[in-house]
Amino acid sequence: MKYLVLFGPPGSGKGTQSENIIKKYGYAHISTGDVLRAEMANQTELGKTAKGYIDAGQLVPDDLIIDMLAKTMDGYTEAKGIIFDGFPRTVAQAKALKEMLGKRGSDVTVMINLQVDNDELVKRLLERGKISGRSDDNLETITKRLETYNTQTAPVIDFYKEDGKLENIQGVGSIDDIFAAISKVIDSKA
Ligand code: B4P
């Protein structure tokens, strides 16, 4: 089974490109952001806790996320591949994922890092905010999310670089062109 980490700052197109990968490769998809939004909509204990962090532009604590991910992953034993979208977001999460996959006798196949500059990210997220109804797509929270990314999430890139799994992809341009570059990387790992 292939394990693909789709990585990048908020608004870099992880969710957008995940849809393309699912369509072409039939991989299963785990988006921690989507799982958290479902928990919030259902007003579960996890959802209520997560909402405070998400609306403040902060990360939900590692232990909650790792537990949530492990439970979600248990449901995917038959898939051809799994896309991790928005996970890991800290080095602790990256280490936990390595351990979880190690127990399956496996490892991350590749980490695709979508590179997009700050101005473009803000522009996209403000645009998405007009229709998404997401409580974190406003300028104040977007600014905090980008700070959180730079301090807590960007170090994950070095983790995968040292592990020999990093593939950088330019995340600015047409969605189709970016997907073509992603496909090339996935195909090279077949
Ligand atoms: P996420 O749901 O993961 O969302 P995201 O990073 O904001 O967006 P993404 O990169 O998927 O962008 P999209 O494709 O939609 O996280 C939300 C929050 O949940 C986090 O802030 C955090 O608090 C919490 N959380 C989630 N996972 C966590 C974890 N592991 N640990 C702790 N906390 C966690 O693209 C954005 C917009 O750009 C879209 O409108 C799209 O149409 C547009 N776009 C995409 N590609 C484009 C292109 N090439 N050109 C122009 N526009 C493009």
Side-chain angles (χ1 to χ4, degrees):
M1 194 187 301
K2 301 269 187 307
Y3 296 102
L4 181 73
V5 171
L6 196 53
F7 186 88
S12 55
K14 301 182 292 288
T16 305
Q17 296 297 343
S18 287
E19 284 176 27
N20 287 330
I21 299 170
I22 296 163
K23 259 188 239 149
K24 179 166 177 185
Y25 294 95
Y27 288 2
H29 175 227
I30 301 177
S31 157
T32 41
D34 287 351
V35 178
L36 290 169
R37 279 185 287 280
E39 297 278 343
M40 291 194 287
N42 292 327
Q43 299 194 359
T44 63
E45 279 310 309
L46 172 59
K48 285 181 206 162
T49 307
K51 186 168 170 40
Y53 291 99
I54 289 174
D55 287 355
Q58 294 167 359
L59 295 178
V60 177
D62 284 336
D63 53 343
L64 297 180
I65 294 285
I66 292 165
D67 193 38
M68 182 182 94
L69 196 274
K71 281 185 194 133
T72 310
M73 222 169 77
D74 283 346
Y76 297 105
T77 47
E78 302 296 329
K80 277 192 279 183
I82 298 182
I83 309 161
F84 296 102
D85 164 5
F87 178 92
R89 262 177 156 95
T90 62
V91 172
Q93 291 180 16
K95 287 181 178 163
L97 180 61
K98 195 167 176 71
E99 207 182 299
M100 272 184 250
L101 295 179
K103 282 184 191 153
R104 291 183 168 203
S106 200
D107 198 357
V108 165
T109 310
V110 64
M111 186 267 219
I112 293 178
N113 177 32
L114 294 173
Q115 297 178 306
V116 180
D117 61 85
N118 247 53
D119 289 352
E120 173 71 16
L121 295 171
V122 173
K123 201 174 95 189
R124 287 185 190 177
L125 292 171
L126 285 176
E127 201 56 42
R128 184 174 72 184
K130 289 181 193 164
I131 44 164
S132 68
R134 273 175 56 166
S135 53
D136 57 347
D137 280 345
N138 60 77
L139 188 57
E140 194 188 345
T141 311
I142 291 167
T143 307
K144 287 192 189 131
R145 286 161 69 193
L146 292 173
E147 275 170 27
T148 302
Y149 171 80
N150 286 324
T151 54
Q152 295 181 56
T153 305
V156 172
I157 298 170
D158 279 341
F159 177 89
Y160 284 106
K161 190 175 177 188
E162 280 159 26
D163 214 15
K165 311 282 186 194
L166 171 68
E167 291 282 349
N168 290 313
I169 288 195
Q170 170 66 255
V172 182
S174 83
I175 290 170
D176 287 349
D177 286 350
I178 297 164
F179 181 56
I182 292 175
S183 293
K184 224 170 156 182
V185 169
I186 297 176
D187 294 341
S188 75
K189 307 286 170 190

